Amino acid sequence: MVVADAFGEPSYAPRLRNLCNYLVQNGWIVEVYTEHFVPLNFPRTYPIYEYKLYRNNTWDWAIKAFWSMLTDWKNRAFSRWLLSQTKDKHYDIVFCTTCSTFPLRAALNVAQAKHIPLHVDLRDIEEQAPNSQLQAHRQWWARPFRRLYRIINVRRRNNVILRANNVTTISPWHVNFLSRLNQHTSLIYNGYDKDLFSPSNCSTETFHIIYTGRIYESSLRDPSLFVQALSTLPSLPHFSVDWYTDNRGKEAIKKLATQFNCEALMHYHNYVSTQEIPELLHQCSIALVLSHKADENGPHGIMTTKFFEALGVEKPVLCVPSDEECLADVIQQTNAGVAASTIEEVQTFILDKYAEWKANGYTRQAVNQEQKRLFTRQYQAQQFEKMFNTLI
């Protein structure tokens, strides 16, 4: 039995979907229970049951969100639905995956009611980012409640973590932090689907540096050092930096490009579907990963899926600025590219890969193949399965 937070576009929880596909292929019966959020437009061979908690208006969300902060309404409502849906069903284990607090309490309630083990998988935690940055997407009027929201939800999350039979998470920093709460905490990285993300030597007439995803001007994903480094490059024919991001991200880049006088290099695109990402990476010469230097307040342990997908297709990864922590360590371990902290490091890497592209018509990173294998979704699913078997 899988209890999960909502599937979000455009990736639709790849960590969970790949695990479910693997388990079904290996004879497990999988049923997923989650919050209704968006239409689930992806193929699957297992049932997904959805519960709609909110009406389609802001006031309904605001009232219920505030009431949830005070009373944990969302978890309680979902828990009642979950227990009613599964009252006559037998399961061997409850697997709960989330990037927040919901639906941990509901998963615990079901596990306790059915007297079966609970395995919790945390993809993000509040403490990894400073100033409640994980809640930065909230409407402006909700921002004053961030600190209170964080305190309450961390306490609720910890109450469940203490009672879980197993806990998994996505970076060494997360493991170290959560092990203080539950000694049965293990590391299972994010990764790439080896059936989708495989190398292809695709010649191009333009040297493309490609970025896909959200952009934050000051924290979590900071593009300022990269754009500043671009302004120091010599004139390079057939050179393009392509941003596949939302309007907010485009405006942030345009602002920086104007500041550093490199507007001519920039090209802007809308998000692309998950199915289009492999071909996009095949066409790129450098895969750009934006990060932020970790300090005592964070951000910590942010292991973006974009890095692992670039690793899968063996394209050179430029991580800038280096987090000087978990992501930089894995880039070095796999020889996937460079985690750069200075303008000179960015410049040197770009010019080196540009020379490779001029010589061959494409770039190909000589990654460590043995290390690369450890970051496939298929290997991760095997790790999960082994842990499940120890509990059943």
Side-chain angles (χ1 to χ4, degrees):
M1 176 183 185
V2 176
V3 183
D5 53 350
F7 289 76
E9 295 178 298
S11 59
Y12 298 107
R15 182 177 174 92
L16 174 58
R17 288 193 295 114
N18 279 272
L19 172 60
C20 291
N21 290 337
Y22 172 89
L23 292 174
V24 170
Q25 290 168 9
N26 284 273
W28 292 69
I29 298 173
V30 175
E31 294 183 347
V32 179
Y33 295 84
T34 186
E35 174 188 1
H36 173 79
F37 185 57
V38 294
L40 304 183
N41 298 318
F42 57 86
R44 53 195 183 272
T45 56
Y46 49 89
I48 299 179
Y49 303 102
E50 301 174 86
Y51 184 48
K52 189 169 184 177
L53 287 153
Y54 303 109
R55 299 172 185 171
N56 295 324
N57 67 76
T58 302
W59 279 111
D60 181 73
W61 175 86
I63 293 169
K64 289 177 178 175
F66 184 73
W67 191 238
S68 291
M69 184 170 64
L70 296 178
T71 69
D72 205 18
W73 169 84
K74 185 176 181 180
N75 262 305
R76 291 189 296 108
F78 190 76
S79 181
R80 286 193 296 270
W81 174 79
L82 201 56
L83 288 167
S84 68
Q85 292 290 305
T86 62
K87 62 181 180 181
D88 297 322
K89 294 185 176 182
H90 169 76
Y91 301 99
D92 294 304
I93 190 171
V94 176
F95 174 72
C96 181
T97 179
T98 181
C99 63
S100 184
T101 302
F102 175 85
L104 288 174
R105 185 72 213 186
L108 177 62
N109 287 346
V110 172
Q112 290 178 333
K114 293 184 176 295
H115 306 288
I116 56 177
L118 170 64
H119 182 124
V120 169
D121 182 54
L122 292 173
R123 308 188 306 275
D124 289 302
I125 61 175
E126 285 283 349
E127 295 87 347
Q128 76 190 44
N131 303 318
S132 299
Q133 188 63 46
L134 292 178
Q135 301 302 323
H137 65 282
R138 300 282 186 182
Q139 286 86 343
W140 65 268
W141 51 263
R143 291 173 188 166
F145 300 104
R146 278 188 202 166
R147 188 169 182 274
L148 179 60
Y149 177 91
R150 178 172 177 152
I151 292 170
I152 292 172
N153 280 281
V154 164
R155 185 182 299 124
R156 290 171 179 166
R157 179 204 68 197
N158 290 351
N159 285 336
V160 177
I161 297 304
L162 289 166
R163 292 166 172 78
N165 298 88
N166 271 349
V167 177
T168 48
T169 190
I170 53 97
S171 85
W173 182 88
H174 287 77
V175 171
N176 182 60
F177 188 94
L178 292 170
S179 293
R180 305 168 197 170
L181 297 169
N182 189 317
Q183 63 179 344
H184 302 292
T185 300
S186 303
L187 171 62
I188 297 183
Y189 282 105
N190 280 323
Y192 67 93
D193 184 343
K194 66 179 182 180
D195 295 330
L196 294 177
F197 295 93
S198 57
S200 176
N201 295 333
C202 181
S203 296
T204 60
E205 295 182 358
T206 301
F207 182 90
H208 291 282
I209 298 177
I210 290 179
Y211 177 82
T212 60
R214 283 186 174 183
I215 293 168
Y216 304 91
E217 289 182 80
S218 59
S219 62
L220 300 188
R221 299 172 192 169
D222 183 359
S224 55
L225 180 63
F226 170 71
V227 177
Q228 187 176 357
L230 289 179
S231 68
T232 69
L233 292 173
S235 177
L236 301 173
H238 310 292
F239 184 99
S240 176
V241 183
D242 296 271
W243 303 92
Y244 292 81
T245 187
D246 56 16
N247 289 333
R248 183 177 177 181
K250 293 172 188 174
E251 290 305 313
I253 297 302
K254 288 176 182 177
K255 180 180 176 182
L256 285 169
T258 300
Q259 179 183 347
F260 292 105
N261 194 30
C262 53
E263 301 97 322
L265 302 177
M266 307 303 191
H267 297 88
Y268 304 97
H269 315 270
N270 294 327
Y271 283 135
V272 295
S273 68
T274 303
Q275 291 75 19
E276 296 174 273
I277 293 292
E279 183 58 30
L280 195 64
L281 288 173
H282 290 154
Q283 298 285 333
C284 86
S285 305
I286 290 177
L288 177 63
V289 174
L290 297 178
S291 187
H292 196 287
K293 181 180 177 180
D295 57 30
E296 61 181 12
N297 296 315
H300 295 289
I302 297 180
M303 306 293 291
T304 173
T305 298
K306 303 303 178 187
F307 159 70
F308 295 107
E309 292 171 350
L311 174 67
V313 300
E314 298 182 9
K315 285 297 181 178
V317 171
L318 173 57
C319 173
V320 59
S322 172
D323 67 341
E324 301 182 11
E325 198 185 61
C326 302
L327 183 54
D329 289 345
V330 173
I331 290 172
Q332 182 180 34
Q333 173 186 337
T334 56
N335 192 42
V338 65
S341 299
T342 67
I343 289 174
E344 291 75 21
E345 288 177 320
V346 176
Q347 185 185 66
T348 298
F349 187 76
I350 292 175
L351 292 176
D352 179 59
K353 298 307 171 184
Y354 185 82
E356 180 185 343
W357 169 79
K358 283 189 71 176
N360 302 325
Y362 61 87
T363 59
R364 177 81 173 264
Q365 186 69 16
V367 304
N368 183 313
Q369 295 296 326
E370 184 60 29
Q371 290 296 318
K372 176 187 173 183
R373 183 188 69 82
L374 303 179
F375 298 102
T376 65
R377 296 286 189 190
Q378 289 79 0
Y379 176 72
Q380 293 154 6
Q382 293 172 11
Q383 291 178 283
F384 275 119
E385 184 181 32
K386 287 179 182 177
M387 290 184 183
F388 296 163
N389 282 325
T390 65
L391 296 177
I392 296 174

Coordinates of all heavy atoms in Angstrom, one line a residue, residues 20 47 72 84 124 136 142 246 271 287 311 315 325:
C20 N 7.0 2.0 -8.3 CA 5.8 1.2 -8.5 C 5.9 0.3 -9.7 O 5.4 -0.9 -9.7 CB 4.6 2.1 -8.6 SG 4.1 3.0 -7.1
P47 N -3.4 0.6 -9.7 CA -4.5 1.6 -9.5 C -4.0 2.8 -8.6 O -3.2 2.6 -7.7 CB -5.6 0.8 -8.8 CG -4.8 -0.3 -8.1 CD -3.7 -0.6 -9.0
D72 N -4.5 20.2 12.1 CA -4.1 19.1 11.2 C -5.3 18.5 10.5 O -5.4 17.3 10.2 CB -3.4 18.0 12.0 CG -2.4 17.1 11.2 OD1 -2.1 17.6 10.1 OD2 -2.1 16.0 11.6
S84 N -11.6 4.3 5.5 CA -12.8 3.8 4.9 C -12.6 3.1 3.6 O -13.3 2.1 3.3 CB -13.8 5.0 4.7 OG -13.4 5.8 3.7
D124 N 12.2 15.7 0.7 CA 12.6 17.0 1.1 C 12.2 17.1 2.6 O 11.3 16.5 3.0 CB 12.0 18.2 0.4 CG 12.5 18.3 -1.1 OD1 13.7 18.4 -1.2 OD2 11.7 18.2 -2.0
A136 N 8.1 29.1 -0.4 CA 8.1 30.4 -1.0 C 7.1 30.6 -2.1 O 6.7 31.7 -2.6 CB 9.5 30.7 -1.6
A142 N 0.0 34.5 2.8 CA 0.3 33.3 3.6 C 1.7 33.4 4.2 O 2.0 32.6 5.1 CB 0.0 32.0 2.9
D246 N 9.7 28.9 -16.4 CA 8.5 29.6 -16.4 C 8.7 31.1 -16.6 O 9.9 31.6 -16.7 CB 7.7 29.3 -15.1 CG 8.5 29.7 -13.8 OD1 9.6 30.4 -14.0 OD2 8.2 29.2 -12.8
Y271 N 8.4 25.4 -20.6 CA 8.7 24.0 -20.1 C 8.4 23.0 -21.2 O 7.5 23.2 -22.0 CB 7.8 23.7 -18.9 CG 8.2 24.3 -17.6 CD1 7.3 24.9 -16.7 CD2 9.5 24.3 -17.1 CE1 7.6 25.5 -15.5 CE2 9.9 24.8 -15.9 CZ 8.9 25.4 -15.1 OH 9.3 26.0 -13.9
A287 N 24.9 20.5 -19.8 CA 23.7 20.5 -19.0 C 24.0 21.4 -17.8 O 24.8 21.1 -17.0 CB 23.3 19.1 -18.6
L311 N 23.5 12.9 -16.2 CA 24.4 11.8 -15.9 C 24.1 10.6 -16.8 O 24.9 10.0 -17.4 CB 24.4 11.4 -14.5 CG 25.3 10.2 -14.0 CD1 26.7 10.4 -14.2 CD2 24.9 9.8 -12.6
K315 N 26.1 13.7 -20.6 CA 26.4 15.1 -21.1 C 27.2 15.8 -19.9 O 26.9 15.6 -18.8 CB 25.1 15.8 -21.4 CG 24.5 15.4 -22.7 CD 25.5 15.7 -23.9 CE 24.9 15.3 -25.2 NZ 25.8 15.7 -26.4
E325 N 29.0 20.5 -1.2 CA 28.4 19.5 -0.2 C 28.0 18.3 -1.0 O 28.9 17.7 -1.8 CB 27.2 20.1 0.5 CG 26.8 19.4 1.8 CD 25.5 20.0 2.4 OE1 24.5 20.0 1.7 OE2 25.6 20.5 3.5

